[in-house]
Amino acid sequence: MEHESDIYDNPHNGGIVVKRACFCVGVFFTLMVLLNGVSMYKSAMRLEYGRTHDFWVAVLSPVERVSRSSGLFRLREWTEMTLGAWLNKLSKK
Amino acid sequence: MLFPTTVFALFFAVVFALHWGLVRFPLTRKIVLLGASLFFYGYWSWKFALMLLASALLNHGAAVLIDRAGDRKTGRKLVALTVAANLLVLGIFKYTGFLFTRLMVPLAVPLCSWLGTTEQLIGLQERVLPFIERIVLPVGISFYTFQALSYVADVYWRKTAVARSALDFANYLAFFPQLVAGPIVRASALLPQMAVFPDRSVRLDTGRAATLIMGGLFKKMVVANWLSEHLADPVFAMPEAYGGGDILLGVYAYALQIYCDFSAYSDIAIGCALLLGFHFPINFHAPYFAVTLQEFWRRWHISLSTWLRDYLYIPLGGSRGSRMRTRVNLLLTFLLGGLWHGAGWTFVLWGAFHGVYLSLERVVRNALGLPEKPSAHTPFFLAVLGRIWIFQVVCFSWILFRASNLSVAGDVLRGLCRWNGPCELFSVTAVWVLGIGFLLQFLDGERLRPVWNVVSRWPGWIQGAVAAVILTMILGMGPTGVSPFIYFQF
């Protein structure tokens, strides 16, 4: 187990400037929330009653409305009903 | 806080925004990152966060004293004291129950029976067990203790400079992406990055970060969770209820589950750190493509195997002494490596198995005149045979690792010889998921560099949008709920 060199990634590889990366991450989070708003809200509704439940339901209800009205939630719904249902059919029985 | 959750997504979005928004305020930025890491850890329990902070302060204080020690003898004493203190804390939280219930009591029972003091032993157990049951193992304590130990040792050996401030060291030890399940990043690699935070002139490899995070989430949420729920868990929960075919399927499934689970955590950690401008070593490099067990350990949990090599195997003497001494060193290293994973006889046996096999592998390869390391020129047919063989050897060892106790391990091994009855767990989906789990090893290392470069060249909004769509599909494919990563228990 000795003699081999440790493998570290190369910090000098290419990439994009921080400003562009921030924009990219911003787009990712915005779209993520819109695509998954309905599912996130449903998950929050399943939380045990209490302050955490109330907090997340309050935070996610406007997100759920935007996600539903924009129709973007349908991608998640479609994936769950097709690929997800096929993969998890045993556990969902 | 678990990676694939809404809470973590929200947490990371806030940390990312603050980290890059506070570039003009270096000290505030460092304090914010430490606060974020402590919040991440304290989400389990604020007591854990306080313990981590105390560990950071004490180890940094010790390192400063070691650095300032006038002579080597004082330095050595301080190192011994610091190592002992770290191991004592780890021992109390992780090994008290094991030492008392699995080692002391079984040894004391025949002795007390002979001395006629069984009642006193029962009384002692009744007093001590409630105390032991109250001990809660802090998540990731093994990981950050090893990081602290390597820092102290490196300062003593003058391999790394002492941290500029306690804040820098605390940021190194508590950095949230790698805090609970590694990689075990060396001080020499991360401390300089913690001393001078990346500014806005750096270029962020978003292509690599996105590929690692999305790939990691796919490995964990789709593949590892499926293999665990449908194949591995049922087999290891009731091995006596399954035939040889099902058990073999369950063992293979666990081998791929643990790879997909653990490498997923490392990948997500590396990806998150990259987005914050920090660079980690890789932790997995297609381990099931190894031709020998020695090569397997160069590819599996690389940060732990190199840690054990540098801070245990080599200080024990490594391969500098006689052949017998080398074998003893290997065995000791792997026994302790096994114990590091968990307080149980199954982990000790798992470590012993690897230590003994590695020693035998050396003997056999020497006897056959083969080089110690398999060269790139190994004939294709032999390399394939070697890979298949080593995969079986590693799968066999995973039985010990996964079984909750020796009795279950025995049931699984007996079940492997019971080839009657139908194969209930076999399905086309199982073959697909197992195949995909195996092929995911191609994501390791630098193989995807051309893909990262192409993704990095896309406009920012396309990168973000594609990542969001892929993540949504991963979430849709995965089962409901989030199961914790396997390595959280270590």
Side-chain angles (χ1 to χ4, degrees):
Chain A
M1 46 187 294
E2 69 281 23
H3 305 313
E4 87 265 26
S5 59
D6 299 354
I7 303 168
Y8 284 91
D9 67 354
N10 180 3
H12 307 295
N13 286 324
I16 59 176
V17 292
V18 172
K19 204 173 164 185
R20 224 180 111 202
C22 291
F23 175 65
C24 167
V25 172
V27 170
F28 168 76
F29 275 111
T30 311
L31 203 55
M32 255 300 290
V33 165
L34 292 174
L35 288 167
N36 297 283
V38 174
S39 291
M40 282 154 71
Y41 181 73
K42 282 182 189 166
S43 299
M45 290 294 282
R46 280 197 295 269
L47 287 173
E48 208 175 296
Y49 280 104
R51 258 190 276 174
T52 314
H53 171 275
D54 296 346
F55 170 78
W56 284 112
V57 168
V59 167
L60 293 171
S61 60
V63 173
E64 189 254 0
R65 277 199 298 275
V66 178
S67 177
R68 199 175 281 283
S69 59
S70 64
L72 286 170
F73 75 101
R74 291 195 190 281
L75 176 67
R76 172 79 181 256
E77 195 183 63
W78 175 82
T79 317
E80 279 176 357
M81 282 161 57
T82 52
L83 287 168
W86 173 67
L87 263 174
N88 304 297
K89 55 193 166 199
L90 286 178
S91 61
K92 283 182 180 168
K93 269 179 189 172
Chain B
M1 206 181 287
L2 297 168
F3 279 162
T5 57
T6 309
V7 179
F8 179 77
L10 189 65
F11 165 82
F12 188 75
V14 173
V15 174
F16 182 83
L18 287 172
H19 181 71
W20 290 115
L22 292 169
V23 170
R24 286 184 195 166
F25 312 98
L27 184 64
T28 316
R29 209 174 168 211
K30 285 184 181 181
I31 294 169
V32 166
L33 187 66
L34 179 61
S37 296
L38 292 175
F39 176 79
F40 173 86
Y41 197 51
Y43 203 78
W44 276 283
S45 160
W46 60 269
K47 290 175 191 164
F48 292 176
L50 282 182
M51 219 178 106
L52 173 65
L53 195 60
S55 171
L57 294 175
L58 290 174
N59 279 295
H60 178 65
V64 170
L65 288 177
I66 290 163
D67 190 50
R68 286 180 189 164
D71 57 306
R72 296 293 283 172
K73 204 176 165 187
T74 317
R76 201 176 305 136
K77 277 181 189 166
L78 284 166
V79 170
L81 197 68
T82 317
V83 170
N86 276 298
L87 293 180
L88 182 69
V89 175
L90 183 64
I92 289 171
F93 281 99
K94 195 164 177 173
Y95 302 107
T96 308
F98 172 71
L99 288 175
F100 187 76
T101 58
R102 303 283 163 83
L103 202 68
M104 277 172 59
V105 172
L107 286 174
V109 166
L111 190 69
C112 289
S113 161
W114 183 62
L115 292 170
T117 54
T118 308
E119 273 183 35
Q120 281 87 336
L121 180 67
I122 294 168
L124 179 74
Q125 273 182 278
E126 282 171 354
R127 279 196 300 278
V128 173
L129 282 178
F131 174 72
I132 290 175
E133 280 165 7
R134 281 208 298 274
I135 297 175
V136 180
L137 179 69
V139 188
I141 189 172
S142 311
F143 285 91
Y144 73 72
T145 303
F146 267 33
Q147 285 202 177
L149 289 177
S150 67
Y151 168 67
V152 170
D154 282 352
V155 167
Y156 173 69
W157 287 327
R158 307 276 176 213
K159 280 185 182 174
T160 193
V162 73
R164 283 191 204 170
S165 67
L167 180 62
D168 288 358
F169 179 69
N171 261 324
Y172 155 70
L173 199 66
F175 189 38
F176 70 88
Q178 45 94 57
L179 177 58
V180 287
I184 303 168
V185 190
R186 300 286 177 86
S188 55
L190 194 53
L191 256 182
Q193 300 183 59
M194 288 299 169
V196 184
F197 272 20
D199 59 18
R200 284 191 190 145
S201 67
V202 297
R203 295 179 74 83
L204 299 179
D205 199 347
T206 45
R208 183 172 182 226
T211 316
L212 285 169
I213 295 171
M214 296 305 136
L217 288 170
F218 179 76
K219 279 182 191 174
K220 168 64 186 164
M221 298 197 65
V222 181
V223 182
N225 285 357
W226 195 93
L227 291 172
S228 148
E229 193 177 325
H230 295 266
L231 300 176
D233 285 357
V235 162
F236 281 93
M238 271 198 300
E240 64 281 1
Y242 294 98
D246 279 332
I247 290 184
L248 195 62
L249 207 57
V251 172
Y252 286 153
Y254 183 68
L256 293 168
Q257 182 207 340
I258 194 169
Y259 163 71
C260 287
D261 189 288
F262 190 23
S263 71
Y265 191 94
S266 295
D267 289 351
I268 299 168
I270 296 169
C272 289
L274 265 180
L275 288 177
L276 297 172
F278 298 100
H279 294 263
F280 283 178
I282 65 161
N283 212 16
F284 288 86
H285 197 71
Y288 295 137
F289 290 158
V291 177
T292 63
L293 194 63
Q294 189 187 35
E295 195 191 355
F296 171 80
W297 278 106
R298 289 173 204 276
R299 291 165 172 264
W300 177 274
H301 201 174
I302 298 165
S303 62
L304 175 70
S305 53
T306 49
W307 194 100
L308 290 172
R309 175 200 67 190
D310 293 345
Y311 300 102
L312 196 58
Y313 179 69
I314 292 175
L316 280 171
S319 55
R320 293 191 297 274
S322 64
R323 283 182 178 178
M324 183 51 80
R325 180 69 209 178
T326 304
R327 278 167 217 152
V328 170
N329 292 341
L330 261 179
L331 188 61
L332 274 175
T333 304
F334 275 90
L335 274 177
L336 290 170
L339 259 182
W340 177 87
H341 282 88
W345 289 118
T346 47
F347 291 109
V348 175
L349 274 180
W350 175 78
F353 174 81
H354 277 270
V356 169
Y357 188 95
L358 280 166
S359 302
L360 287 175
E361 192 176 74
R362 281 178 177 228
V363 174
V364 171
R365 287 187 79 84
N366 283 342
L368 294 176
L370 294 166
E372 208 169 88
K373 288 182 191 174
S375 71
H377 307 296
T378 310
F380 177 75
F381 181 66
L382 280 180
V384 170
L385 274 184
R387 286 187 179 112
I388 293 172
W389 170 247
I390 287 304
F391 184 62
Q392 310 311 313
V393 169
V394 173
C395 283
F396 175 80
S397 75
W398 288 136
I399 296 174
L400 293 166
F401 193 90
R402 172 62 179 80
S404 48
N405 54 52
L406 289 176
S407 160
V408 172
D411 286 344
V412 172
L413 291 174
R414 272 192 294 278
L416 279 173
C417 310
R418 201 171 46 232
W419 284 83
N420 51 353
C423 200
E424 291 168 22
L425 298 175
F426 182 83
S427 66
V428 178
T429 318
V431 175
W432 268 103
V433 180
L434 284 167
I436 290 169
F438 196 82
L439 292 175
L440 280 169
Q441 292 182 94
F442 282 107
L443 297 182
D444 290 350
E446 292 272 323
R447 288 187 186 90
L448 289 187
R449 168 60 55 198
V451 178
W452 305 337
N453 291 341
V454 168
V455 173
S456 286
R457 280 198 291 272
W458 290 351
W461 68 271
I462 292 186
Q463 288 186 43
V466 169
V469 168
I470 291 174
L471 182 54
T472 302
M473 296 185 77
I474 291 170
L475 294 170
M477 277 192 273
T480 321
V482 184
S483 52
F485 288 87
I486 293 175
Y487 264 66
F488 273 26
Q489 60 186 299
F490 308 135

